[in-house]
Amino acid sequence: MSVSEVASSIEGELIDRRVYVIDDDEAVRATLRTILTGAGIYSEEFGTAAEFLRAQPDLPIGCILLDLRMPEMSGLELLRTLKERGVPDPVVMISGQADLPDAVDAIKAGALDFIQKPFRKARLLEVLEQAFAAVREHKGREKVQRSIILSPREKEVLHGLAGGLTSKHIARELGISSRTVEMHRAKLGRKFGVQSMTRAVLIAKEAGLLD
């Protein structure tokens, strides 16, 4: 089961379709508000990067629609600041005065995509669906991390399995018996809800448990 499958299987959990619009142009914010509301997407608006940074710690995860060129702190500077702080929200850059180098810089800095103004509604909503999928993936990863607690020895065995080692090799490296390794493999299977250790390793990697 992948992280996204874990997320979608959580009964009763509401996955928000939430967008934070950061643009100093009030007319652009109004246009985006109309598009997003019509598509059933919740949105909040910010006129400056500083305004968003003040609010961000208290905001649930969502997609960020970020204008490239703004006074005081540009969109690219804000994007880099958010990545440095470890903010997981996917960022889509928008601009009416950008060229190819700007787009390349934004993608290199961690933007999910880059949309040129005036943007097509269909294109915008398509990119936002990709962003919402990234949000679901992150929520699923957090769910797995909260629900699965591994002992130090289980982590060592899991790392060995991820490295392609057999139980005998893992036992030799850890200085324990093969029977003990098999015991930990069985525990890992129960915790991850799978019989295949290949699936357990895949889920652990997607959840960030092997970082």
Side-chain angles (χ1 to χ4, degrees), residues 39-99:
I41 298 171
Y42 173 82
S43 65
E44 292 185 40
E45 302 162 24
F46 303 87
T48 66
E51 183 183 348
F52 177 74
L53 283 175
R54 285 194 295 270
Q56 190 278 322
D58 297 319
L59 296 175
I61 184 173
C63 171
I64 298 173
L65 275 179
L66 177 58
D67 186 36
L68 177 67
R69 303 190 188 282
M70 295 187 295
E72 298 181 11
M73 176 183 281
S74 71
L76 191 57
E77 290 173 323
L78 175 57
L79 172 60
R80 288 170 175 156
T81 298
L82 294 174
K83 294 304 177 183
E84 289 172 359
R85 295 184 180 183
V87 175
D89 304 47
V91 177
V92 176
M93 300 293 294
I94 56 177
S95 178
Q97 306 175 24
D99 53 23

Side-chain angles (χ1 to χ4, degrees), residues 167-169 171-172 176-183 185:
S167 293
K168 288 184 178 180
H169 283 111
R172 188 179 305 121
I176 58 180
S177 69
S178 295
R179 183 176 179 180
T180 300
V181 173
E182 291 299 326
M183 179 189 68
R185 285 172 61 111

